[in-house]
């Protein structure tokens, strides 16, 4: 039976949220979702384009609804973005490894979001060295 983390990646559409002014945009996640044929949008307040696609400054600018959000911003910004995701009506959220905070997780709980956190999103989407990470997490029963 697939875990919640595995089924998160079965959605049809996603928004990947980053801030390239503070940290490089999560291009591996974005590109892997595109390669799978998912509808994927980029939200980055600091960029105009991601991989030749438009980068939107806010969730309200997206051209269509999305099923899930992947969040990889600075830890101090995570709780605010969790609020924005909930306000946008997106109920499935992945907070990238090392970006979750107790405050952000509490906001998500209060807002009724289904949240995956505490691990790397990329190991579910790509191969390469991320396969090693995936295998370690499987052995730890954390996949």
């Amino acid at each position: 039976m697939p875990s919640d983390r595995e089924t998160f990646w079965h959605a049809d559409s996603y928004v990947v949220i980053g801030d390239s002014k503070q940290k490089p945009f999560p291009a591996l996640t974005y590109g892997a979702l595109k390669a799978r044929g998912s509808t994927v949008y980029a939200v980055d307040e600091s960029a105009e384009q991601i991989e030749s696609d438009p980068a939107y400054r806010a969730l309200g600018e997206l051209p269509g609804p999305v099923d899930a959000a992947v969040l990889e911003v600075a830890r101090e910004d995570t709780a605010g973005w969790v609020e924005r995701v909930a306000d946008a009506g997106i109920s499935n959220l992945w907070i990238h490894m090392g970006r979750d905070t107790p405050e952000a997780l509490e906001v998500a709980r209060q807002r009724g979001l289904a949240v995956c956190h505490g691990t790397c999103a990329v190991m579910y989407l790509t191969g390469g060295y991320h396969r090693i990470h995936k295998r370690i997490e499987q052995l730890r029963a954390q996949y």
Side-chain angles (χ1 to χ4, degrees):
M1 181 170 182
S3 69
D4 290 343
R5 289 176 174 162
E6 291 170 292
T7 59
F8 179 87
W9 304 107
H10 296 172
D12 293 324
S13 58
Y14 297 86
V15 59
V16 178
I17 304 165
D19 185 353
S20 58
K21 184 171 76 178
Q22 295 183 348
K23 182 180 187 292
F25 187 84
L28 288 175
T29 302
Y30 185 82
L33 288 168
K34 279 180 62 175
R36 288 176 141 199
S38 299
T39 299
V40 59
Y41 304 108
V43 169
D44 187 328
E45 295 174 328
S46 303
E48 292 189 23
Q49 287 189 324
I50 301 294
E51 293 191 13
S52 302
D53 296 330
Y56 301 93
R57 305 239 183 242
L59 293 168
E61 295 177 7
L62 298 179
V66 294
D67 301 317
V70 180
L71 184 56
E72 189 173 342
V73 296
R75 286 176 58 90
E76 61 268 15
D77 297 333
T78 301
W81 274 105
V82 171
E83 288 278 3
R84 294 180 205 178
V85 166
D87 290 344
I90 303 167
S91 59
N92 297 299
L93 175 63
W94 187 288
I95 301 174
H96 193 74
M97 178 175 69
R99 304 291 171 213
D100 53 344
T101 65
E103 178 189 9
L105 296 175
E106 179 59 21
V107 169
R109 188 193 64 74
Q110 289 176 359
R111 299 294 301 268
L113 302 181
V115 179
C116 296
H117 67 96
T119 192
C120 178
V122 179
M123 72 178 176
Y124 292 85
L125 298 170
T126 66
Y129 68 88
H130 289 282
R131 250 186 228 140
I132 297 167
H133 189 190
K134 176 180 177 177
R135 185 66 183 135
I136 291 168
E137 293 301 299
Q138 287 171 327
L139 290 171
R140 293 178 53 218
Q142 299 295 313
Y143 188 76

